Amino acid sequence: MADSYRYRCGECGHRTAWGSESQGEQSMETHYARSHPHIAPGGMVEFRKGSSGGGSGCLIAVGIVVLLLILASRR
């Protein structure tokens, strides 16, 4: 989850590398200081799909269903 953020410049389309939130903010502040010195940092933040660690909830649900089917078949 440490490499889940990427920032885009609102002025020129520059993008940071994927990284942590604080790394992206620092990189964007540096970019604005060099390329757009008299403009407040802006733009947008992208979140990497699948970075939330999701998917295990589905696996747990499938496991419970299989367990219930096994228990139901024994009766």
Side-chain angles (χ1 to χ4, degrees), residues 5 12-13 17 22 25 28 39 43-45 47 54 60 64 70 75:
Y5 298 89
C12 68
S22 61
E25 287 176 356
M28 192 52 64
I39 300 174
M44 60 183 284
V45 181
F47 301 97
I60 292 170
I64 291 172
I70 290 172
R75 290 182 179 202

Side-chain angles (χ1 to χ4, degrees), residues 43-55:
M44 60 183 284
V45 181
E46 292 180 72
F47 301 97
R48 186 177 282 190
K49 291 181 181 179
S51 63
S52 64

Side-chain angles (χ1 to χ4, degrees), residues 3-59:
D3 60 347
S4 302
Y5 298 89
R6 178 166 68 179
Y7 288 72
R8 288 183 176 221
C9 176
E11 310 305 320
C12 68
H14 168 78
R15 292 184 292 192
T16 65
W18 290 105
S20 69
E21 187 173 7
S22 61
Q23 288 171 333
E25 287 176 356
Q26 182 63 42
S27 180
M28 192 52 64
E29 287 177 12
T30 302
H31 167 74
Y32 265 83
R34 290 181 184 156
S35 301
H36 316 291
H38 301 293
I39 300 174
M44 60 183 284
V45 181
E46 292 180 72
F47 301 97
R48 186 177 282 190
K49 291 181 181 179
S51 63
S52 64
S56 61
C58 229
L59 183 60

